Amino acid sequence: MRSFGIEVRWDGEVVSGLSLVGPLRDTVDVVTFRENAGSSRTVPGRSTTDVARFERDLGDDLALDLWARGPVLRKDVGLTFTDPSDGLSISYTLHSCWVCGYGVVPDPGTGAVVESLSLSVGRWERVIPPASLRAEHLAVQRSAEVRRVNIGALMSKYQDQTPSVLDRILAEATRKGDVLFLDEADALFAKRSTVQDSHDRFAPDRVDQVLQLLSAHAGPIVVAENSSADVASGAGEAVPPA
């Protein structure tokens, strides 16, 4: 079983020494309706997010006390769990949090003093890293390279040759063990219910050919539907036919 360290952030700063006590949890009430014939059915009711509780040994850092003692302020809280054995890092954001409980609890038996903070959480979610970072992480795990391909440009620039060019790209990625990163892949997944003419670059038959080739590929593929979040790491290029 993995052992994770925790980093807590708010106001753009890391708040030292905090541990999360208890789970991050949403619950949905189950509402039962009785039918006339004696049967019943259930439907989802009110959704509730549990209070998030944090503790740490009392120290000279006033971050908890200042938030709890000041005016009622809502803040976003960031949590990052990291496994030091391999660097696996998973982050969450707790939105619109406000302090609903604060305490300083001494233990007479040991002399330890624990500072605790309870937060009412508006909602929480896992932070999904950009596709480019996921591709790079996969490549590091496999001691491989990331091969970026702008699938939208490939399908538009080399319309008639797209399947053969892509087949060559996939074969080379397999041979080298590369992680294939498909940039601008909204060309594959955007709605295509209306085809303007026989030269439409997103024609369903061409898209089907591309999807069949990709589904048959045995190596890892990371897909980005829009490269706007990946500008810093460079855009994938269309690969001309050999």
Side-chain angles (χ1 to χ4, degrees):
M1 180 177 292
R2 289 182 178 273
S3 179
F4 288 91
I6 182 174
E7 179 183 87
V8 183
R9 304 175 307 281
W10 64 67
D11 293 335
E13 300 289 339
V14 175
V15 184
S16 62
L18 280 178
S19 295
L20 179 65
V21 181
L24 294 176
R25 181 167 55 200
D26 292 330
T27 56
V28 180
D29 294 340
V30 178
V31 179
T32 302
F33 285 94
R34 302 294 179 183
E35 306 288 356
N36 292 333
S39 61
S40 63
R41 61 187 177 91
T42 59
V43 297
R46 184 181 62 179
S47 177
T48 304
T49 299
D50 287 3
V51 169
R53 294 182 57 241
F54 298 88
E55 290 183 353
R56 69 177 179 181
D57 293 337
L58 185 64
D60 58 2
D61 182 355
L62 297 177
L64 276 64
D65 188 277
L66 291 175
W67 189 5
R69 302 292 184 186
V72 177
L73 297 177
R74 294 180 182 270
K75 302 181 181 183
D76 289 348
V77 176
L79 304 181
T80 299
F81 299 95
T82 304
D83 184 344
S85 67
D86 59 3
L88 176 65
S89 182
I90 300 171
S91 296
Y92 295 86
T93 300
L94 282 58
H95 295 276
S96 299
C97 300
W98 55 274
V99 178
C100 61
Y102 175 65
V104 176
V105 183
D107 184 340
T110 63
V113 181
V114 174
E115 188 178 23
S116 66
L117 187 74
S118 298
L119 298 178
S120 176
V121 181
R123 64 183 178 88
W124 58 279
E125 62 182 349
R126 183 165 175 169
V127 178
I128 306 299
S132 59
L133 292 182
R134 299 200 298 273
E136 291 168 8
H137 182 68
L138 269 176
V140 169
Q141 289 181 324
R142 295 167 171 263
S143 300
E145 299 293 331
V146 176
R147 172 144 191 180
R148 299 176 64 101
V149 178
N150 188 316
I151 196 70
L154 175 65
M155 292 180 66
S156 58
K157 189 173 182 180
Y158 306 109
Q159 296 181 40
D160 298 332
Q161 300 153 303
T162 296
S164 60
V165 174
L166 182 60
D167 188 51
R168 177 169 59 83
I169 293 171
L170 294 173
E172 186 173 355
T174 300
R175 179 174 60 83
K176 294 183 177 180
D178 291 343
V179 174
L180 198 62
F181 179 73
L182 301 185
D183 205 2
E184 297 290 352
D186 46 334
L188 296 176
F189 304 112
K191 184 177 180 181
R192 296 178 299 276
S193 58
T194 302
V195 178
Q196 299 297 328
D197 55 48
S198 61
H199 300 291
D200 191 334
R201 61 176 176 166
F202 300 144
D205 58 342
R206 186 175 303 114
V207 172
D208 288 344
Q209 286 180 301
V210 170
L211 290 175
Q212 287 174 8
L213 287 171
L214 293 176
S215 64
H217 181 59
I221 299 176
V222 177
V223 176
E225 291 190 31
N226 191 309
S227 64
S228 58
D230 299 298
V231 171
S233 56
E237 298 182 354
V239 181

PDB file of all heavy atoms in Angstrom, residues 168-181:
ATOM      1  N   ARG A 168       2.063   4.560 -40.671  1.00  0.00           N
ATOM      2  CA  ARG A 168       3.531   4.633 -40.588  1.00  0.00           C
ATOM      3  C   ARG A 168       3.977   5.226 -39.253  1.00  0.00           C
ATOM      4  O   ARG A 168       4.939   4.750 -38.625  1.00  0.00           O
ATOM      5  CB  ARG A 168       4.070   5.481 -41.746  1.00  0.00           C
ATOM      6  CG  ARG A 168       5.581   5.677 -41.704  1.00  0.00           C
ATOM      7  CD  ARG A 168       6.086   6.294 -43.003  1.00  0.00           C
ATOM      8  NE  ARG A 168       5.479   7.578 -43.280  1.00  0.00           N
ATOM      9  CZ  ARG A 168       5.902   8.737 -42.752  1.00  0.00           C
ATOM     10  NH1 ARG A 168       6.914   8.729 -41.885  1.00  0.00           N
ATOM     11  NH2 ARG A 168       5.327   9.869 -43.078  1.00  0.00           N
ATOM     12  N   ILE A 169       3.260   6.252 -38.787  1.00  0.00           N
ATOM     13  CA  ILE A 169       3.588   6.866 -37.500  1.00  0.00           C
ATOM     14  C   ILE A 169       3.439   5.864 -36.355  1.00  0.00           C
ATOM     15  O   ILE A 169       4.291   5.753 -35.477  1.00  0.00           O
ATOM     16  CB  ILE A 169       2.688   8.095 -37.259  1.00  0.00           C
ATOM     17  CG1 ILE A 169       3.010   9.201 -38.263  1.00  0.00           C
ATOM     18  CG2 ILE A 169       2.853   8.621 -35.831  1.00  0.00           C
ATOM     19  CD1 ILE A 169       2.030  10.350 -38.233  1.00  0.00           C
ATOM     20  N   LEU A 170       2.345   5.116 -36.387  1.00  0.00           N
ATOM     21  CA  LEU A 170       2.092   4.133 -35.334  1.00  0.00           C
ATOM     22  C   LEU A 170       3.137   3.025 -35.343  1.00  0.00           C
ATOM     23  O   LEU A 170       3.585   2.561 -34.280  1.00  0.00           O
ATOM     24  CB  LEU A 170       0.689   3.545 -35.496  1.00  0.00           C
ATOM     25  CG  LEU A 170      -0.478   4.518 -35.288  1.00  0.00           C
ATOM     26  CD1 LEU A 170      -1.799   3.841 -35.638  1.00  0.00           C
ATOM     27  CD2 LEU A 170      -0.511   5.027 -33.861  1.00  0.00           C
ATOM     28  N   ALA A 171       3.522   2.593 -36.530  1.00  0.00           N
ATOM     29  CA  ALA A 171       4.535   1.538 -36.631  1.00  0.00           C
ATOM     30  C   ALA A 171       5.868   2.020 -36.056  1.00  0.00           C
ATOM     31  O   ALA A 171       6.565   1.284 -35.341  1.00  0.00           O
ATOM     32  CB  ALA A 171       4.693   1.111 -38.084  1.00  0.00           C
ATOM     33  N   GLU A 172       6.221   3.266 -36.354  1.00  0.00           N
ATOM     34  CA  GLU A 172       7.481   3.807 -35.845  1.00  0.00           C
ATOM     35  C   GLU A 172       7.417   3.994 -34.328  1.00  0.00           C
ATOM     36  O   GLU A 172       8.392   3.726 -33.617  1.00  0.00           O
ATOM     37  CB  GLU A 172       7.783   5.141 -36.530  1.00  0.00           C
ATOM     38  CG  GLU A 172       9.147   5.704 -36.172  1.00  0.00           C
ATOM     39  CD  GLU A 172       9.491   6.939 -36.979  1.00  0.00           C
ATOM     40  OE1 GLU A 172       8.716   7.307 -37.886  1.00  0.00           O
ATOM     41  OE2 GLU A 172      10.540   7.552 -36.683  1.00  0.00           O
ATOM     42  N   ALA A 173       6.256   4.453 -33.815  1.00  0.00           N
ATOM     43  CA  ALA A 173       6.099   4.611 -32.371  1.00  0.00           C
ATOM     44  C   ALA A 173       6.212   3.269 -31.662  1.00  0.00           C
ATOM     45  O   ALA A 173       6.805   3.164 -30.586  1.00  0.00           O
ATOM     46  CB  ALA A 173       4.758   5.266 -32.067  1.00  0.00           C
ATOM     47  N   THR A 174       5.661   2.208 -32.264  1.00  0.00           N
ATOM     48  CA  THR A 174       5.759   0.866 -31.693  1.00  0.00           C
ATOM     49  C   THR A 174       7.206   0.392 -31.676  1.00  0.00           C
ATOM     50  O   THR A 174       7.685  -0.164 -30.682  1.00  0.00           O
ATOM     51  CB  THR A 174       4.888  -0.119 -32.495  1.00  0.00           C
ATOM     52  OG1 THR A 174       3.525   0.308 -32.446  1.00  0.00           O
ATOM     53  CG2 THR A 174       5.008  -1.517 -31.934  1.00  0.00           C
ATOM     54  N   ARG A 175       7.900   0.616 -32.774  1.00  0.00           N
ATOM     55  CA  ARG A 175       9.293   0.162 -32.882  1.00  0.00           C
ATOM     56  C   ARG A 175      10.184   0.850 -31.855  1.00  0.00           C
ATOM     57  O   ARG A 175      11.050   0.217 -31.241  1.00  0.00           O
ATOM     58  CB  ARG A 175       9.815   0.437 -34.301  1.00  0.00           C
ATOM     59  CG  ARG A 175      11.261   0.016 -34.527  1.00  0.00           C
ATOM     60  CD  ARG A 175      11.635   0.182 -35.995  1.00  0.00           C
ATOM     61  NE  ARG A 175      11.496   1.556 -36.437  1.00  0.00           N
ATOM     62  CZ  ARG A 175      12.425   2.503 -36.245  1.00  0.00           C
ATOM     63  NH1 ARG A 175      13.551   2.198 -35.617  1.00  0.00           N
ATOM     64  NH2 ARG A 175      12.224   3.721 -36.684  1.00  0.00           N
ATOM     65  N   LYS A 176       9.966   2.149 -31.618  1.00  0.00           N
ATOM     66  CA  LYS A 176      10.811   2.907 -30.698  1.00  0.00           C
ATOM     67  C   LYS A 176      10.296   2.871 -29.261  1.00  0.00           C
ATOM     68  O   LYS A 176      11.004   3.304 -28.346  1.00  0.00           O
ATOM     69  CB  LYS A 176      10.903   4.369 -31.155  1.00  0.00           C
ATOM     70  CG  LYS A 176      11.632   4.557 -32.474  1.00  0.00           C
ATOM     71  CD  LYS A 176      11.731   6.041 -32.805  1.00  0.00           C
ATOM     72  CE  LYS A 176      12.526   6.267 -34.079  1.00  0.00           C
ATOM     73  NZ  LYS A 176      12.634   7.717 -34.400  1.00  0.00           N
ATOM     74  N   GLY A 177       9.049   2.393 -29.070  1.00  0.00           N
ATOM     75  CA  GLY A 177       8.461   2.395 -27.740  1.00  0.00           C
ATOM     76  C   GLY A 177       7.993   3.764 -27.288  1.00  0.00           C
ATOM     77  O   GLY A 177       7.867   4.026 -26.087  1.00  0.00           O
ATOM     78  N   ASP A 178       7.733   4.673 -28.245  1.00  0.00           N
ATOM     79  CA  ASP A 178       7.336   6.041 -27.919  1.00  0.00           C
ATOM     80  C   ASP A 178       5.926   6.093 -27.340  1.00  0.00           C
ATOM     81  O   ASP A 178       5.073   5.241 -27.614  1.00  0.00           O
ATOM     82  CB  ASP A 178       7.358   6.929 -29.167  1.00  0.00           C
ATOM     83  CG  ASP A 178       8.770   7.182 -29.673  1.00  0.00           C
ATOM     84  OD1 ASP A 178       9.727   6.947 -28.906  1.00  0.00           O
ATOM     85  OD2 ASP A 178       8.910   7.614 -30.835  1.00  0.00           O
ATOM     86  N   VAL A 179       5.690   7.133 -26.534  1.00  0.00           N
ATOM     87  CA  VAL A 179       4.335   7.485 -26.103  1.00  0.00           C
ATOM     88  C   VAL A 179       3.789   8.449 -27.141  1.00  0.00           C
ATOM     89  O   VAL A 179       4.369   9.500 -27.413  1.00  0.00           O
ATOM     90  CB  VAL A 179       4.342   8.140 -24.714  1.00  0.00           C
ATOM     91  CG1 VAL A 179       2.936   8.632 -24.347  1.00  0.00           C
ATOM     92  CG2 VAL A 179       4.860   7.171 -23.663  1.00  0.00           C
ATOM     93  N   LEU A 180       2.666   8.093 -27.749  1.00  0.00           N
ATOM     94  CA  LEU A 180       2.087   8.908 -28.807  1.00  0.00           C
ATOM     95  C   LEU A 180       1.147   9.941 -28.197  1.00  0.00           C
ATOM     96  O   LEU A 180       0.214   9.599 -27.454  1.00  0.00           O
ATOM     97  CB  LEU A 180       1.321   8.025 -29.784  1.00  0.00           C
ATOM     98  CG  LEU A 180       1.014   8.617 -31.164  1.00  0.00           C
ATOM     99  CD1 LEU A 180       2.302   8.934 -31.916  1.00  0.00           C
ATOM    100  CD2 LEU A 180       0.149   7.659 -31.965  1.00  0.00           C
ATOM    101  N   PHE A 181       1.407  11.214 -28.489  1.00  0.00           N
ATOM    102  CA  PHE A 181       0.578  12.302 -27.991  1.00  0.00           C
ATOM    103  C   PHE A 181      -0.161  12.924 -29.168  1.00  0.00           C
ATOM    104  O   PHE A 181       0.448  13.527 -30.048  1.00  0.00           O
ATOM    105  CB  PHE A 181       1.432  13.348 -27.284  1.00  0.00           C
ATOM    106  CG  PHE A 181       0.646  14.522 -26.763  1.00  0.00           C
ATOM    107  CD1 PHE A 181      -0.167  14.380 -25.654  1.00  0.00           C
ATOM    108  CD2 PHE A 181       0.713  15.755 -27.375  1.00  0.00           C
ATOM    109  CE1 PHE A 181      -0.891  15.447 -25.166  1.00  0.00           C
ATOM    110  CE2 PHE A 181      -0.013  16.829 -26.901  1.00  0.00           C
ATOM    111  CZ  PHE A 181      -0.819  16.681 -25.790  1.00  0.00           C
TER     112      PHE A 181
END
